[in-house]
Amino acid sequence: MENLQMSHSDIEDSMRKFANVLLVRWSEHLKQYIHENRTLIQLVQMTVNMGYMEKSCESLGPFITRIVNGGENPAHATGHLVALSDKYRYERDRPFKVFRDARTEAEQQIEESLRKKVDLFLDNIAYDWELPSSAGHASDYILDLISFLRTTFTSFTNLPNTLAKHVCIQICKYVADSLLMILTSPDFRIVSRGALEQFNLDVMQARAEMFTAQAPVTGLDPQTLPVTFATLRQLLDLVVEDDWTTFCAEARNDKKRYDRVKINDAIVILEKKIEWEKKTSGLFSMKGSDRKKLLESVHRQLRIIAAEK
């Protein structure tokens, strides 16, 4: 290096500059690669790999300094590290962040890919909303979905724990929200007690087996995931138990038992139940007729309360 007729500081700056340029180009190629319809397994592995690359890059600065100084790393070395841009600032004692954007892209794609996988399971649901009685056990679709999520979350072992916990929470919330949308969908106008009980069994299975019995990701607070199902759980408790008296009493005050239930969601389910009563109540069935009148009375109350809010 003596023949370069440059100071050690200038040589070090030049080497760092070219190293940074190469790494930034590599990062840009990785971002393009990530968006080429990669599988979930590929995205997870790429995120793990980039984590290792970021850690290895922390040693790049000292390595360049040792090369420039003939294998030594003198304490008096003053060569500054070239700033590539405001986004990629490379400083002597700060971790290298050049892969940050590419890693962020991969992390976002992991969550999006999982959402699409969940949609594939839920799109195959074929509920019989006029089911006379429940099967007494969870539906196959929810068991398959639970199995898939368990396997997937297990594969997150090597991901940064913060990321693994975030994705797990967001996907559980997405499952709960999707099931709520299915239950309140305008695509069907009638729901039997048997169908509600079957739907309730599926939610209980998902919540108990997947999210309460054991935390699917290391370090996750066992009380966190059940909260993602709290809104759906309260709504089902209300409509399965027909606890309309409590709900109406709480609706005008600070709700307690059903504080997460939206009144419009309750009205939607109630209307579906009323349609079932209309369909199944015989002309001479006093019990069915009385029940229909009771639900219609509750419906009127909820409409009034909803209009007041």
Side-chain angles (χ1 to χ4, degrees):
M1 295 201 180
E2 293 80 2
N3 297 328
L4 293 176
Q5 297 181 346
M6 297 170 63
S7 69
H8 281 191
S9 178
D10 289 339
I11 292 173
E12 186 174 353
D13 267 352
S14 296
M15 292 181 69
R16 293 176 187 279
K17 177 180 178 181
F18 292 126
N20 287 346
V21 169
L22 287 173
L23 289 170
V24 169
R25 288 179 179 175
W26 189 8
S27 177
E28 293 300 323
H29 283 300
L30 282 173
K31 285 195 287 186
Q32 294 177 11
Y33 182 82
I34 288 167
H35 287 283
E36 294 177 359
N37 294 322
R38 299 301 162 193
T39 65
L40 180 60
I41 294 175
Q42 288 175 321
L43 291 168
V44 170
Q45 187 61 57
M46 288 175 66
T47 302
V48 172
N49 291 348
M50 281 187 280
Y52 281 108
M53 286 190 289
E54 282 187 329
K55 290 180 181 178
S56 66
C57 283
E58 294 176 18
S59 305
L60 184 58
F63 176 72
I64 292 175
T65 300
R66 287 196 298 271
I67 293 177
V68 173
N69 291 280
E72 298 179 357
N73 193 10
H76 65 271
T78 58
H80 67 279
L81 303 182
V82 177
L84 296 173
S85 69
D86 291 337
K87 185 180 294 186
Y88 302 115
R89 186 167 295 279
Y90 189 144
E91 299 178 359
R92 179 175 297 279
D93 297 319
R94 183 175 297 178
F96 201 96
K97 299 298 184 184
V98 71
F99 294 108
R100 178 177 54 198
D101 284 358
R103 181 163 52 82
T104 300
E105 293 277 355
E107 292 172 357
Q108 292 173 348
Q109 289 296 315
I110 287 173
E111 186 174 335
E112 182 61 28
S113 179
L114 257 179
R115 288 174 185 266
K116 291 179 180 178
K117 290 286 188 180
V118 169
D119 286 342
L120 289 177
F121 280 97
L122 298 183
D123 286 345
N124 290 326
I125 293 177
Y127 267 114
D128 178 3
W129 296 110
E130 299 184 31
L131 194 68
S133 61
S134 70
H137 55 79
S139 304
D140 289 341
Y141 90 87
I142 202 70
L143 296 176
D144 291 341
L145 177 58
I146 291 171
S147 178
F148 166 73
L149 289 176
R150 275 182 172 174
T151 302
T152 300
F153 293 147
T154 300
S155 71
F156 286 178
T157 304
N158 294 320
L159 283 178
N161 191 243
T162 301
L163 171 63
K165 290 189 289 187
H166 169 78
V167 173
C168 180
I169 292 170
Q170 292 304 310
I171 293 304
C172 291
K173 185 177 185 302
Y174 183 72
V175 171
D177 290 345
S178 297
L179 289 172
L180 178 59
M181 289 178 62
I182 290 173
L183 185 60
T184 57
S185 170
D187 292 341
F188 64 97
R189 297 180 61 253
I190 190 170
V191 63
S192 67
R193 182 171 186 81
L196 282 175
E197 289 175 344
Q198 183 61 54
F199 195 91
N200 189 41
L201 279 174
D202 292 343
V203 173
M204 290 172 63
Q205 184 78 13
R207 188 174 182 273
E209 187 172 330
M210 181 63 199
F211 308 134
T212 304
Q214 57 184 14
V217 173
T218 303
L220 192 62
D221 186 342
Q223 299 303 315
T224 300
L225 291 182
V227 174
T228 63
F229 269 66
T231 298
L232 181 58
R233 180 66 271 150
Q234 287 188 10
L235 179 60
L236 283 171
D237 286 345
L238 169 63
V239 299
V240 171
E241 297 174 16
D242 279 329
D243 193 13
W244 301 107
T245 302
T246 302
F247 185 72
C248 290
E250 292 183 346
R252 288 190 171 92
N253 306 309
D254 294 331
K255 295 180 182 178
K256 294 181 180 179
R257 182 176 182 185
Y258 301 110
D259 59 324
R260 293 176 178 270
V261 177
K262 295 180 180 179
I263 192 166
N264 287 332
D265 288 341
I267 290 173
V268 167
I269 305 301
L270 182 58
E271 288 174 345
K272 295 175 187 288
K273 289 171 68 82
I274 291 174
E275 289 301 316
W276 170 254
E277 293 298 331
K278 288 179 179 179
K279 181 174 182 178
T280 56
S281 295
L283 182 61
F284 301 104
S285 174
M286 295 298 296
K287 183 178 180 181
S289 178
D290 289 344
R291 177 173 171 75
K292 181 171 71 69
K293 289 179 180 179
L294 174 62
L295 293 179
E296 289 174 339
S297 175
V298 172
H299 182 260
R300 286 192 294 271
Q301 291 182 57
L302 292 182
R303 282 294 186 187
I304 292 172
I305 295 171
E308 293 173 350
K309 288 186 176 294

